[in-house]
Amino acid sequence: MVALIVVLGAGGTLFTLLRGGGVSDTATVVPASAGGDVPERYLGRWESRVDGAGTHQLTLTQGRVGERVLTLVADGADQHCVFAASLARKPGAEGTLRLTAATVTSGAPLSSCAPGTPTTLTLSPDGHLKRTGPTGAEALTYSRVSPVGSRTE
């Protein structure tokens, strides 16, 4: 009797799916590029000039949750720091990228480079990338230097 109920339930589900019906899903996920979870419009190199602190060059590459997708090079008058961060979770319907805390991969002098905090990346309507940290931290705005796949990468 239990087997009959299981077969009827599975058959009904299959019939519904074949008719074009389906299971409703309330979560919407932003389409990502083949091979990863990062939406294509984020990929490439971005740059920000920070008053009194030099430049920050951010590179976003394709990857899945838990994989390194961000490299950040911060150059100032007396320092050169390179950071890396991973995708913390898949972007939702709003398209926001959430990254893990950045780790220092190299620096000169290394003592001038400190690990970062988790950050959020969003694209503004004018095409700029905004990187924000914890509540109360100042946001940085980046301009695209080159899209993914360009000859300058």
Side-chain angles (χ1 to χ4, degrees):
M1 182 65 159
V2 173
L4 179 60
I5 293 171
V6 171
V7 170
L8 289 174
T13 301
L14 181 60
F15 177 75
T16 301
L17 291 173
L18 290 174
R19 279 190 30 230
V23 179
S24 174
D25 186 358
T26 58
T28 304
V29 177
V30 174
S33 300
D37 295 322
V38 179
E40 192 169 326
R41 65 186 183 270
Y42 280 93
L43 302 177
R45 287 193 342 221
W46 303 80
E47 187 173 274
S48 179
R49 299 202 186 287
V50 182
D51 291 338
T55 61
H56 288 192
Q57 190 171 77
L58 184 150
T59 302
L60 286 164
T61 57
Q62 194 51 263
R64 298 197 181 284
V65 173
E67 295 177 344
R68 182 163 85 179
V69 296
L70 175 134
T71 302
L72 174 66
V73 178
D75 284 316
D78 299 324
Q79 70 179 23
H80 171 81
C81 301
V82 181
F83 303 91
S86 299
L87 187 61
R89 67 181 189 207
K90 286 186 179 186
E94 78 286 353
T96 299
L97 291 183
R98 300 196 191 288
L99 304 175
T100 62
T103 59
V104 177
T105 60
S106 66
L110 188 57
S111 61
S112 68
C113 307
T117 58
T119 58
T120 301
L121 302 176
T122 54
L123 287 173
S124 61
D126 66 359
H128 288 89
L129 180 74
K130 185 176 177 182
R131 182 170 67 97
T132 55
T135 304
E138 185 178 339
L140 286 178
T141 301
Y142 292 79
S143 298
R144 185 181 293 278
V145 174
S146 62
V148 69
S150 70
R151 294 178 192 250
T152 59
E153 283 193 56

